[in-house]
């Protein structure tokens, strides 16, 4: 048994006016709660430090850059890193990254128990659009503010386990899980900000949106025999609702913990990394059963190519 007690630290809404320091204080409160419940690792959502700013159109570079971090730890997040180190708890959270070269990514980091960053991931699947879209009920301008991640889907050894990260929309793409599955991933950390309503289809209800999120995460966990910790930023951000539905999913694809609120909320589960062994050595023993000679289209094309009539 290789047990790792994991905390999924869902965050409630963050308003435009909230400071990074305020948010970091909320994250520290969740971290302390998690440490008291025995967690060795705590996972926070995508863009943990700010409101989901891609819903707003900003024309000026300075306005955009105000949402980004130029360094990590930053002044505002240093207390979070310090507290994590004192408690001996590893953390993972998402933030908007502005590199010294001026590149912008939707990123997340993973630390070890000493607060040292051991992994960084940059979101590959950026949903939404790059120009203001008057047809939408609200904007989703991730394609305007970020470039697609350039680091692939790495897997790191951390705390005796094989860990990977993905961010929000990535969870809907089986390729993201499989690339990590092919590196033996045992624990996938995933933060998200998902609007409760579809900006292009007001008839789509919350129930369906929660189902699609959970379906994707459970399938990815099962088909790669890995634990998945999926953590929302939820609630009403300046009149724009984000759904909750944070879950911890076992390597059989079952939800073992599910958030009940759209507020700051902690889920805790003791995840046995050895529970990934059975799936990885039987039905999803990739070395024995995969047939990559038939998967060429996966890497050769994006859109569907329909057979001729
Ligand atoms: N943050 C993020 O990636 N959200 C998307 C919403 C897509 S709607 C344009 C998601 O897949 O949840």
């Amino acid at each position: 048994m290789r047990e790792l007690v994991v905390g999924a630290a869902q965050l409630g809404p963050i308003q435009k006016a909230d400071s990074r320091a305020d948010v970091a204080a909320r994250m520290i409160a969740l971290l302390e709660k998690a440490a008291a419940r025995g967690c060795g690792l705590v996972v926070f959502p995508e863009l943990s430090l700010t409101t989901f700013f891609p819903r707003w159109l900003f024309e000026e570079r300075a306005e955009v850059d105000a949402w980004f971090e130029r360094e990590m730890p930053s002044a505002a997040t240093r207390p979070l890193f310090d507290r994590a180190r004192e408690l001996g708890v590893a953390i993972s959270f998402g933030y908007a990254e502005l590199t010294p070269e001026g590149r912008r990514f939707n990123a997340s980091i993973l630390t070890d128990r000493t607060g040292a960053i051991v992994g960084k991931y940059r979101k590959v699947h950026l949903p939404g659009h790059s120009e203001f879209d008057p047809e939408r009920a609200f904007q989703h301008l991730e394609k305007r503010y970020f470039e697609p991640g350039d680091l692939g889907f790495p897997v790191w050894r951390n705390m005796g386990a094989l860990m990977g990260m993905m961010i929000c929309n990535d969870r809907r793409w089986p390729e993201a899980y499989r690339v990590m599955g092919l590196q033996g991933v045992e624990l996938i950390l995933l933060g998200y900000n998902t609007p409760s309503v579809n900006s292009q289809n007001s008839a789509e209800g919350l129930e369906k949106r929660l189902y699609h999120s959970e379906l994707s995460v459970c399938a990815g966990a099962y088909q790669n025999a890995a634990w998945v910790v999926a953590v929302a930023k939820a609630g009403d951000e300046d009149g724009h609702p984000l759904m909750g539905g944070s879950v911890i999913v076992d390597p059989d694809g079952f939800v073992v913990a599910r958030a009940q609120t759209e507020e700051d909320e902690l889920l805790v589960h003791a995840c046995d990394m050895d529970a990934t062994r059975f799936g990885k050595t039987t039905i999803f023993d990739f070395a024995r059963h995969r047939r990559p000679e038939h998967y060429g289209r996966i890497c050769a094309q994006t859109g569907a190519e329909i057979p001729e009539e």
Side-chain angles (χ1 to χ4, degrees):
M1 184 126 121
R2 282 182 297 137
E3 199 172 85
L4 180 55
V5 183
V6 179
Q10 177 174 288
L11 286 173
I14 300 174
Q15 310 307 332
K16 252 179 157 178
D18 293 345
S19 72
R20 260 80 147 189
D22 290 342
V23 179
R26 283 166 57 186
M27 293 168 78
I28 290 170
L30 285 163
L31 179 71
E32 289 177 342
K33 217 188 247 190
R37 292 181 61 185
C39 291
L41 167 68
V42 178
V43 185
F44 296 94
E46 175 189 32
L47 297 175
S48 280
L49 306 175
T50 65
T51 195
F52 188 72
F53 67 86
R55 72 169 68 88
W56 306 106
L57 176 70
F58 302 108
E59 309 269 18
E60 301 300 324
R61 175 159 295 193
E63 279 185 308
V64 176
D65 288 351
W67 300 102
F68 282 73
E69 314 302 317
R70 288 177 168 75
E71 54 181 3
M72 191 54 63
S74 55
T77 54
R78 175 86 52 198
L80 173 66
F81 280 80
D82 289 347
R83 193 71 185 114
R85 190 183 58 249
E86 285 161 14
L87 294 167
V89 177
I91 55 173
S92 175
F93 66 88
Y95 64 101
E97 177 195 14
L98 177 55
T99 72
E101 299 76 35
R103 302 177 70 189
R104 293 173 187 77
F105 296 101
N106 188 340
S108 59
I109 51 101
L110 168 66
T111 77
D112 63 16
R113 285 179 182 268
T114 73
I117 294 175
V118 296
K120 178 190 280 183
Y121 169 69
R122 291 170 171 161
K123 186 175 182 178
V124 166
H125 298 101
L126 298 173
H129 47 113
S130 52
E131 299 300 330
F132 187 85
D133 181 355
E135 301 295 318
R136 294 182 188 239
F138 53 89
Q139 304 299 297
H140 195 110
L141 290 156
E142 282 195 64
K143 282 187 175 7
R144 181 184 188 88
Y145 298 132
F146 303 117
E147 58 181 288
D150 60 350
L151 301 174
F153 293 97
V155 168
W156 299 271
R157 288 186 183 276
N158 192 28
M159 307 169 75
L162 294 163
M163 301 186 189
M165 290 182 274
M166 60 170 75
I167 299 180
C168 196
N169 191 260
D170 288 324
R171 74 193 186 285
R172 306 185 194 276
W173 300 91
E175 297 89 339
Y177 300 88
R178 183 51 50 88
V179 171
M180 288 193 261
L182 286 168
Q183 299 166 80
V185 73
E186 296 169 328
L187 177 62
I188 296 173
L189 317 175
L190 148 66
Y192 62 92
N193 283 235
T194 297
S196 306
V197 287
N198 188 326
S199 65
Q200 295 168 296
N201 176 11
S202 59
E204 186 176 287
L206 176 61
E207 192 184 355
K208 189 194 273 188
R209 293 175 75 73
L210 285 165
Y211 174 69
H212 284 163
S213 177
E214 202 165 295
L215 174 69
S216 304
V217 170
C218 291
Y222 166 62
Q223 292 169 350
N224 295 277
W227 292 91
V228 182
V229 182
V231 188
K233 175 143 67 62
D236 191 311
E237 292 194 333
D238 292 310
H240 292 84
L242 295 172
M243 67 181 215
S246 300
V247 284
I248 300 176
V249 180
D250 76 15
D252 285 314
F254 284 97
V255 173
V256 295
R258 186 186 280 110
Q260 302 300 321
T261 74
E262 292 185 349
E263 301 295 331
D264 291 5
E265 180 178 344
L266 179 71
L267 310 179
V268 175
H269 190 80
C271 303
D272 178 8
M273 295 303 131
D274 283 340
T276 63
R277 288 295 103 207
F278 185 73
K280 285 185 190 299
T281 55
T282 57
I283 192 162
F284 296 118
D285 181 344
F286 295 155
R288 277 198 292 147
H289 306 308
R290 290 185 75 253
R291 292 284 170 234
E293 65 272 28
H294 297 295
Y295 306 156
R297 283 183 183 276
I298 299 270
C299 286
Q301 67 188 72
T302 50
E305 290 175 11
I306 310 294
E308 281 177 25
E309 283 195 22

